[in-house]
């Protein structure tokens, strides 16, 4: 996804690979888009610190699927 297509306040699905107990797994989470930055964008999740993603991470990890 391109960061200029993101809508503030809208939730987006983030899919990424992460290492859990030495095993590479695919993780999914819903995140709310807050604002853009010169190098990427800021997202949030309930009661967690802000998540900063780069333009490259946004292009690969963020999609606009219907929320479950």
């Amino acid at each position: 996804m391109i960061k200029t297509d993101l809508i503030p306040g809208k939730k987006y699905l983030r899919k990424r690979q992460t290492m859990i107990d030495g095993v590479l797994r695919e993780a999914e989470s819903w995140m709310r888009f807050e604002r853009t930055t010169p190098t990427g964008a800021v997202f949030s999740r309930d009661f967690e610190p802000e998540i900063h993603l780069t333009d490259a991470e946004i292009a690969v990890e963020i999609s606009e699927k219907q929320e479950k």
Side-chain angles (χ1 to χ4, degrees), residues 1-2 6 8 17 27 29 36-37 39 41 43 45 47 49 56:
M1 176 154 243
I2 301 170
L6 297 171
Q17 292 195 351
S29 60
T36 60
T37 64
T39 59
F43 292 83
R45 289 191 50 180
F47 310 108

Side-chain angles (χ1 to χ4, degrees), residues 20-57:
I20 300 173
D21 291 332
V23 178
L24 190 61
R25 301 179 187 264
E26 186 169 293
E28 292 184 350
S29 60
W30 287 98
M31 301 189 316
R32 179 175 287 111
F33 171 64
E34 300 295 337
R35 64 188 178 280
T36 60
T37 64
T39 59
V42 176
F43 292 83
S44 66
R45 289 191 50 180
D46 299 327
F47 310 108
E48 292 184 13
E50 292 182 335
I51 301 163
H52 299 267
L53 298 179
T54 65
D55 290 337
E57 290 171 325

